[in-house]
Amino acid sequence: MNARSEPVTLMGVVNVTPDSFSDGGRYLDPNKAIAHGLKLAAEGAAILDVGGESTRPGSEGVPAEEELHRVMPVIEGLADAAPAARISIDTSKAVVAQAALGAGATLVNDVTALRGDPEMAHLIADSKADCCLMHMLGDPRTMQINPRYDDVVDEVKAFLEQRMQFAIDAGIPAQRILLDPGIGFGKTVEHNLELLRRIDELVALGRPVVIGTSRKSFLGRLTGRSDPEERIAGTVATCVMAFEKGVTVFRVHDVAPVHDALTVAAATVAPWTTSPTSTTR
Ligand code: HH2
């Protein structure tokens, strides 16, 4: 599997939170979040990833009731207003995932890779939903305190293989699983760069690889851009490089520039037909 043969999918980020690292508070009003999701879909996002809990370094988490209160009106509104887009729920709580799936979500993006809630794997197995399994070292409260690996790529790969086997054993077919190295989740700048350099080793696991480099702090460290909104060029660079190595799903805040960049990148490696993005993964 490589960039030349697999369709590209953009996953637009819809954060319904007061405290997300780059857009906290901007879309807490459900109407604003729905409008934002519709804009991202119009720009080329085939998946809208709705989240009600920030996982930024140091964050403490929110109770399920609050998460439900934030995300449900937005999922219901997007299911109604953007029927062509797939909705993903970014949560590690089974009760939130269950409500979201009931309202039309078809993908569970669990940053704990099914370790956060013992009910999550069976819930997904019993549904028709896909799931994204992401690597994280520790938890958001502690993950950026001196993260260490002998070989970050080997360790992330072994973790993802093990979590994929766990999911399969719980009854989730392999074809419904996406894998994500968890850029910025318990990683230094050099760990993130090493993962991007050798991301083809994760692509070799045979499932679609998702990357979420969008606006993250390692881009700020590299470019000197402290404002996350000024990290779009850095985001684009990582997406194009990862695309060339076979990554097919890109979780981004800024869909339009990444869509354009991947359209051009795709045209340089295969005969140009239309947009490289697809409405399915
Ligand atoms: N990154 C964030 C949240 N969810 N999910 C996946 N699969 N991969 C990622 O890299 C990823 C993710 C963090 O970004 P954001 O949602 O913008 O920030 P916050 O957690 O502060 O809401």
Side-chain angles (χ1 to χ4, degrees), residues 12-206:
V13 179
V14 182
N15 279 328
V16 197
T17 59
D19 55 349
S20 285
F21 80 93
S22 83
D23 54 4
R26 194 165 297 178
Y27 309 113
L28 204 47
D29 172 344
N31 291 322
K32 287 190 180 157
I34 292 166
H36 184 59
L38 292 176
K39 174 175 171 283
L40 298 182
E43 290 174 352
I47 302 176
L48 298 172
D49 189 37
V50 180
E53 175 179 72
S54 172
T55 51
R56 75 188 187 290
S59 61
E60 293 280 351
V62 295
E65 304 70 52
E66 177 60 21
E67 213 181 312
L68 284 165
H69 173 72
R70 291 178 186 173
V71 298
M72 289 313 294
V74 178
I75 291 173
E76 285 157 6
L78 287 174
D80 205 36
R86 292 186 63 191
I87 297 171
S88 159
I89 175 69
D90 186 349
T91 190
S92 52
K93 298 186 187 76
V95 65
V96 176
Q98 183 166 29
L101 295 177
T106 59
L107 169 61
V108 178
N109 176 23
D110 181 358
V111 297
T112 73
L114 311 178
R115 295 174 300 162
D117 186 327
E119 305 300 321
M120 189 66 110
H122 296 293
L123 171 76
I124 297 171
D126 292 344
S127 74
K128 291 194 167 56
D130 293 342
C131 69
C132 178
L133 305 177
M134 195 196 80
H135 176 272
M136 168 165 47
L137 189 68
D139 63 42
R141 268 180 315 114
T142 58
M143 64 191 182
Q144 287 306 103
I145 304 170
N146 199 18
R148 283 172 189 272
Y149 303 85
D150 288 331
D151 183 316
V152 66
V153 180
D154 285 354
E155 287 171 49
V156 168
K157 184 175 177 182
F159 171 89
L160 291 176
E161 280 183 297
Q162 187 241 320
R163 297 315 296 166
M164 183 154 65
Q165 194 55 52
F166 173 87
I168 291 167
D169 291 345
I172 303 172
Q175 309 86 272
R176 291 210 248 131
I177 298 172
L178 295 81
L179 302 173
D180 185 330
I183 297 293
F185 286 84
K187 281 115 188 161
T188 62
V189 174
E190 186 47 45
H191 293 144
N192 291 323
L193 294 173
E194 183 72 4
L195 281 163
L196 291 170
R197 248 175 242 132
R198 294 168 52 198
I199 195 80
D200 50 319
E201 294 178 35
L202 303 186
V203 172
L205 291 174

Side-chain angles (χ1 to χ4, degrees), residues 235-255:
T235 301
V236 166
T238 57
C239 291
V240 170
M241 298 303 288
F243 165 79
E244 177 59 20
K245 291 180 190 293
V247 170
T248 50
V249 186
F250 301 85
R251 181 183 184 277
V252 291
H253 302 84
D254 307 287
V255 169

